Amino acid sequence: MQEIQRSDSEISSMLHKARRMARRYGRIGPNEPDDVAQMAMLKLLNHKGDGAPTAGWLFKVVRSAAYDAGRSQAREAQYL
């Protein structure tokens, strides 16, 4: 597979969209929406699939990152 090059403006645009989407989930334990957006962006930048990620793909990744943060918080609360 060939690596897709992303411009700074494309990355900035996707980060802005990810932050906006992450705000829907609000604060998850100690994780702020920006933390969830950053987790999603790490997945985006490491994405090696065919073609550039779409907004739908980004939404799924942000949602998944929010759920992961929630599950992690629940496990931590269980042990405390």
Side-chain angles (χ1 to χ4, degrees):
M1 285 186 221
Q2 108 189 61
E3 187 169 331
I4 300 168
Q5 298 296 323
R6 294 176 181 86
S7 68
D8 289 342
S9 63
E10 181 183 9
I11 292 171
S12 176
S13 172
M14 293 298 263
L15 178 60
H16 179 70
K17 287 179 186 177
R19 281 184 177 150
R20 208 173 28 187
M21 291 175 188
R23 283 191 203 112
R24 292 179 185 167
Y25 298 101
R27 184 180 171 97
I28 302 171
N31 295 309
E32 295 288 336
D34 284 342
D35 296 335
V36 172
Q38 286 177 0
M39 287 186 269
M41 288 303 295
L42 286 173
K43 290 181 181 181
L44 170 78
L45 294 173
N46 291 326
H47 179 70
K48 300 226 192 279
D50 296 333
T54 62
W57 184 86
L58 180 63
F59 175 75
K60 288 179 183 180
V61 172
V62 170
R63 183 182 64 192
S64 175
Y67 288 165
D68 289 346
R71 283 191 293 268
S72 175
Q73 177 62 28
R75 279 191 302 270
E76 289 176 14
Q78 182 181 12
Y79 290 112
L80 296 177

